[in-house]
Amino acid sequence: MEKQQFYYDNKIVRKFLFATLFWGVIGMVVGLWLAYLFLFPTMSNEIPWLSFGRLRPLHTNAVIFAFVGNAIFAGVYYSLQRLLKARMFSDFLSNFNFWGWQLIILAAAITLPLGYTTSKEYAELEWPIDIMIALVWVAFGVNMIGTLLRRRQRHIYVAIWFYLATFVTVAVLHIFNNLELPVTMFKSYSVYAGVQDALVQWWYGHNAVAFFLTTPFLGLMYYFVPKAANRPVYSYRLSIIHFWSLIFIYIWAGPHHLLYTALPEWAQNLGVVFSVMLVAPSWGGMINGLLTLRGAWDTVRESPTLKFMVVAITGYGMATFEGPMLSLKNVNAIAHFTDWIIAHVHVGALAWNGFLAFGMIYYIVPKMWKTNLYSMRLANFHFWIGTLGIVFYALPLYVAGFTQASLWKQFNPDGTLTYGNFLETVTQIMPMYALRAVGGTLYLIGVLAGVYNVIKTLQTAPKLEDELAQAPALSTISSGRLQGETLHTWLERKPVQMTIWATVAILIGGIVQIVPTIFVKSNIPTISSVKPYTPLELEGRDLYIREGCVSCHSQMIRPFRSEVERYGEFAKAGEFVYDRPFLWGSKRTGPDLLRLGGKYSDNWHFNHMYDPTSTSPGSIMPAYPWLTRDKHDRSNIEAKMRGLAKLGVPYTEEDIVNAHKSMEEQAQKIEKNLYNDPDFVKQYEASKSRAEKEGKEFVPMKDREIVALIAYLQRLGTDIKIKTANAE
């Protein structure tokens, strides 16, 4: 049969490889900055865009979507062409994918530090960027499916099954989680509220981990591990079971992030059941990967690529055993809101994603540039110091998590909390935070060594050219099953049908969980005393979101004796019906705030935001002095209220028209309360005199951002009086 000649597009792979390394360093440097902020919280006091709350989502987005995302595209574009014996369907779409993705990352790097955020985990970017993501992701999918349709290889290899599932599932997750109503150019409100928003968010959030950080990397594992070891995959049958069971079960597991919350019990239990079931397919994939290397351990010892991949697969096995374990209610009661979760997440990120990405890079660079790696010793150094970094990062945080859970739940013989002051539980774990910073530093040193190794390799390598290849054209064949052909073998030569069935598999779980919660009102009982936020409180809530306070403070009291004693009555589903987005949080670096309203004076809140150590000696919370001096822009309040009214919040036209008057009145009351502190009066009058002498504009206290934030904080938890609450 006559063979056709064609060229693999190596240049697009090169672009994504360089972007992977560049954004990887950026994302990890930001992460390290955040780790040191725990130790030196005053480092960012005067610079809003360097504060923890604003940079934390930048770190997660940079690592997940910039570093890992570019690594996914690099690996897919490299492997897909070679597995299908075809150049990518469209060079234009390939480049649109690359430049569009970099533009999205750049937009995130600008908007998140400026405080433009939805605050929804792994989905913080505002609506214009969400639209860009959807367009670029569709371009990637069209390019991939177009390449499948013009392939010269009849059967679709297992790696491509995972690529297809990744494309369709991430598209569905992104679109449905980010359904939002824009009210300004960079502000939107989720169409879901409270409990519904939490369920949809963690349906997305858990499966962003599943279908962005796991399934594409499993596809890369199935391609690069056999290639690097020069051995076939251990078991074809196991790969079939692994793929279909994983994508079907994974999509159900999101509610395990919301155990003991106000989420309906049936949804929580469903999440637990499917999370436990996940052990089987996850470990099936790990076993398939590791046993591919059976008899090749001498090669592993000599190959940095395989060493990285072995630790990566082991990290995947650890994380996917720990995840189902954490979904058990008795374990979750201990681990949730603690640093145990941070350790768990970073075992997956640093070992599974990070090490597999670098193993892939060490394989691709010599192959594609047709040269030898600059330094095997440097690659091995990267491996060992990176491994040491993972250990020093994760182990101290496990200890911190266990310590937190233990201290939070301890009682004295008289029934009072042993550690009634939350800050006491923070100071106990500071040594672990220091070790975490050391671990992060070691890991980053390894990454920099790897980047240097790649740069030196390319300095002496031949110029990269598109690679000439040849293969016979794929002849037409009956669409039906051939004699002796299994159903799955038939499916492997039908990419459209496989994509459709993969979509069906992932939609079932989402429909069963989400539809009843959103459309069956009885699942979310209302409470008549719960009212919408006043205009000033709404603005204060948006400031709270802007500053990323939800990164460290939860607003969800679980029905445990220790939490009720510490924070107040446990949370009810009906309390959150006007919360868009929900702010239940994932981590308690500080105490829960659900019942904060009325607990402290307005002066306390002012001083706490200006200098947290003035009210809480030893606090590691950063200061927010700009809130106490900056004028608050309230010009968009009507647009915000009209948008929320369209979403069902009962704001009347009169409420909207009188919004500024309402804000003025409430702000004046808070300003008056602040005058109760003689020190405040002295400093306020002094600053006023100084501004007049210097001819500068003086912003009255009632017009400053801190006043709106105080209004919101003082509202929290005050809508319901537990003894007299009228549940409808």
Side-chain angles (χ1 to χ4, degrees):
M1 185 180 292
E2 184 180 353
K3 292 186 177 182
Q4 298 176 340
Q5 289 192 338
F6 56 95
Y7 288 88
Y8 293 134
D9 186 357
N10 284 341
K11 294 184 177 64
I12 190 64
V13 180
R14 176 182 61 188
K15 289 175 183 174
F16 278 115
L17 280 179
F18 290 173
T20 301
L21 295 171
F22 175 77
W23 291 116
V25 171
I26 298 296
M28 293 176 203
V29 166
V30 174
L32 196 58
W33 170 264
L34 298 177
Y36 279 102
L37 275 179
F38 278 80
L39 306 174
F40 309 104
T42 59
M43 288 196 304
S44 66
N45 270 9
E46 292 298 324
I47 310 174
W49 52 270
L50 285 181
S51 65
F52 182 90
R54 295 202 191 182
L55 286 187
R56 192 263 181 181
L58 177 62
H59 165 60
T60 56
N61 278 266
V63 170
I64 295 172
F65 299 110
F67 170 59
V68 174
N70 278 300
I72 291 168
F73 291 129
V76 169
Y77 277 104
Y78 181 87
S79 62
L80 192 69
Q81 297 182 83
R82 287 154 180 82
L83 288 170
L84 298 178
K85 300 290 189 291
R87 188 181 179 88
M88 292 306 298
F89 171 67
S90 167
D91 287 359
F92 169 78
L93 288 177
S94 296
N95 284 292
F96 179 78
N97 184 181
F98 175 77
W99 290 110
W101 200 253
Q102 308 319 307
L103 183 61
I104 289 164
I105 296 165
L106 185 62
I110 294 170
T111 59
L112 290 173
L114 291 176
Y116 297 112
T117 173
T118 68
S119 84
K120 297 174 74 167
E121 196 91 6
Y122 317 136
E124 292 92 348
L125 302 178
E126 269 293 356
W127 67 271
I129 309 174
D130 286 338
I131 293 172
M132 291 168 59
I133 293 170
L135 292 174
V136 173
W137 192 254
V138 168
F140 164 62
V142 169
N143 207 11
M144 178 166 59
I145 293 171
T147 309
L148 279 161
L149 296 177
R150 62 191 286 181
R151 70 193 186 280
R152 296 180 179 85
Q153 180 69 36
R154 187 169 309 286
H155 289 275
I156 302 170
Y157 179 64
V158 56
I160 301 172
W161 312 347
F162 283 98
Y163 300 160
L164 286 171
T166 296
F167 165 63
V168 295
T169 311
V170 169
V172 170
L173 293 169
H174 174 74
I175 290 169
F176 281 95
N177 185 54
N178 290 296
L179 289 175
E180 52 212 2
L181 181 68
V183 292
T184 68
M185 187 60 191
F186 287 105
K187 180 63 182 177
S188 63
Y189 290 113
S190 172
V191 299
Y192 317 105
V195 172
Q196 297 167 339
D197 192 46
L199 178 61
V200 175
Q201 159 58 27
W202 282 113
W203 172 71
Y204 164 89
H206 180 78
N207 290 301
V209 173
F211 288 91
F212 199 86
L213 300 179
T214 302
T215 54
F217 268 67
L218 287 169
L220 299 178
M221 177 196 80
Y222 274 113
Y223 179 82
F224 286 103
V225 170
K227 280 288 185 182
N230 197 26
R231 301 181 68 83
V233 169
Y234 171 68
S235 172
Y236 166 69
R237 285 187 176 181
L238 186 56
S239 67
I240 295 174
I241 297 169
H242 175 210
F243 172 72
W244 289 106
S245 58
L246 189 81
I247 68 167
F248 175 75
I249 294 172
Y250 232 135
I251 207 78
W252 297 75
H256 78 222
H257 290 262
L258 301 170
L259 300 184
Y260 293 111
T261 68
L263 187 71
E265 191 77 11
W266 66 267
Q268 296 184 38
N269 293 336
L270 206 57
V272 172
V273 170
F274 279 89
S275 297
V276 173
M277 290 167 62
L278 263 177
V279 173
S282 297
W283 274 47
M286 179 192 69
I287 290 167
N288 219 6
L290 290 178
L291 289 186
T292 298
L293 299 172
R294 69 198 187 287
W297 295 109
D298 288 340
T299 308
V300 173
R301 279 193 292 271
E302 296 171 2
S303 167
T305 292
L306 286 175
K307 281 204 280 281
F308 274 102
M309 290 184 175
V310 166
V311 172
I313 296 169
T314 305
Y316 169 67
M318 291 170 60
T320 53
F321 173 77
E322 190 179 19
M325 181 178 69
L326 287 167
S327 73
L328 297 172
K329 284 195 167 184
N330 56 345
V331 179
N332 187 276
I334 298 169
H336 194 54
F337 289 135
T338 75
D339 282 297
W340 182 348
I341 305 302
I342 311 303
H344 164 64
V345 168
H346 282 80
V347 167
L350 299 176
W352 169 233
N353 295 121
F355 267 32
L356 193 68
F358 286 113
M360 179 188 77
I361 290 168
Y362 282 128
Y363 174 86
I364 289 178
V365 168
K367 285 281 185 182
M368 214 163 67
W369 271 269
K370 295 180 173 56
T371 187
N372 293 320
L373 198 62
Y374 168 70
S375 171
M376 295 291 282
R377 289 183 65 184
L378 200 56
N380 282 309
F381 169 79
H382 179 186
F383 169 77
W384 287 112
I385 198 168
T387 302
L388 196 62
I390 295 169
V391 172
F392 268 93
Y393 191 105
L395 286 183
L397 288 189
Y398 281 119
V399 174
F402 300 147
T403 303
Q404 285 170 313
S406 172
L407 299 182
W408 291 350
K409 294 177 180 292
Q410 284 186 33
F411 282 87
N412 295 315
D414 63 357
T416 58
L417 287 164
T418 304
Y419 296 92
N421 183 348
F422 188 92
L423 189 55
E424 293 178 290
T425 70
V426 177
T427 55
Q428 297 269 8
I429 58 176
M430 292 308 295
M432 280 73 96
Y433 284 163
L435 286 173
R436 184 259 298 272
V438 171
T441 303
L442 293 175
Y443 194 89
L444 181 60
I445 289 170
V447 171
L448 294 174
V451 171
Y452 177 78
N453 207 358
V454 169
I455 291 171
K456 295 297 288 184
T457 300
L458 300 186
Q459 282 180 345
T460 57
K463 183 182 177 182
L464 181 70
E465 302 289 349
D466 286 347
E467 184 179 336
L468 178 65
Q470 57 181 7
L474 186 63
S475 60
T476 59
I477 193 166
S478 169
S479 60
R481 285 170 61 180
L482 303 176
Q483 187 175 4
E485 189 175 39
T486 67
L487 176 61
H488 206 275
T489 309
W490 169 80
L491 200 59
E492 287 168 30
R493 55 183 178 85
K494 298 294 176 184
V496 175
Q497 286 89 330
M498 176 168 276
T499 304
I500 291 170
W501 282 111
T503 306
V504 170
I506 63 100
L507 285 178
I508 293 171
I511 291 170
V512 170
Q513 288 178 335
I514 291 171
V515 169
T517 308
I518 292 178
F519 294 104
V520 181
K521 283 195 170 184
S522 61
N523 276 319
I524 311 297
T526 59
I527 300 174
S528 61
S529 60
V530 174
K531 304 298 181 186
Y533 296 104
T534 68
L536 191 64
E537 291 160 1
L538 179 62
E539 288 283 8
R541 191 174 196 270
D542 286 342
L543 289 172
Y544 182 94
I545 290 170
R546 185 191 76 183
E547 298 303 336
C549 303
V550 71
S551 295
C552 294
H553 293 282
S554 60
Q555 291 183 29
M556 173 51 60
I557 303 171
R558 299 176 294 177
F560 302 146
R561 179 191 169 201
S562 59
E563 296 206 7
V564 172
E565 185 70 24
R566 185 183 301 277
Y567 303 119
E569 181 69 13
F570 66 87
K572 312 293 190 296
E575 294 185 69
F576 305 100
V577 292
Y578 301 123
D579 284 7
R580 298 172 187 268
F582 81 107
L583 294 174
W584 295 359
S586 301
K587 169 74 164 62
R588 283 179 182 153
T589 305
D592 189 275
L593 303 184
L594 182 62
R595 307 286 177 221
L596 182 67
K599 189 174 181 181
Y600 303 105
S601 69
D602 291 350
N603 292 104
W604 186 94
H605 285 294
F606 181 94
N607 293 328
H608 186 64
M609 298 306 295
Y610 182 76
D611 177 12
T613 59
S614 67
T615 57
S616 309
S619 172
I620 63 170
M621 174 179 158
Y624 294 85
W626 56 90
L627 291 172
T628 66
R629 62 172 181 252
D630 288 355
K631 186 174 183 179
H632 186 201
D633 179 7
R634 300 169 183 169
S635 60
N636 294 317
I637 187 61
E638 292 97 338
K640 291 179 179 181
M641 293 176 72
R642 289 188 195 283
L644 288 169
K646 290 178 183 177
L647 294 173
V649 179
Y651 289 127
T652 66
E653 184 61 27
E654 185 180 2
D655 292 333
I656 297 170
V657 170
N658 292 323
H660 284 281
K661 180 182 177 183
S662 168
M663 286 194 293
E664 181 76 11
E665 290 173 355
Q666 191 171 4
Q668 285 177 345
K669 290 178 182 177
I670 294 171
E671 183 182 51
K672 184 178 179 181
N673 291 339
L674 291 174
Y675 273 90
N676 292 328
D677 182 355
D679 291 334
F680 167 82
V681 175
K682 188 185 300 181
Q683 293 177 17
Y684 181 62
E685 294 300 330
S687 66
K688 187 175 182 179
S689 299
R690 189 163 54 249
E692 289 173 352
K693 287 179 182 178
E694 295 174 358
K696 294 180 179 178
E697 180 189 6
F698 178 75
V699 180
M701 184 56 61
K702 64 183 177 60
D703 296 332
R704 299 187 192 185
E705 291 182 330
I706 187 66
V707 170
L709 183 61
I710 290 172
Y712 171 65
L713 295 175
Q714 294 290 34
R715 171 68 181 274
L716 289 175
T718 61
D719 273 1
I720 65 170
K721 305 297 181 186
I722 302 306
K723 292 181 180 179
T724 59
N726 178 24
E728 294 179 345

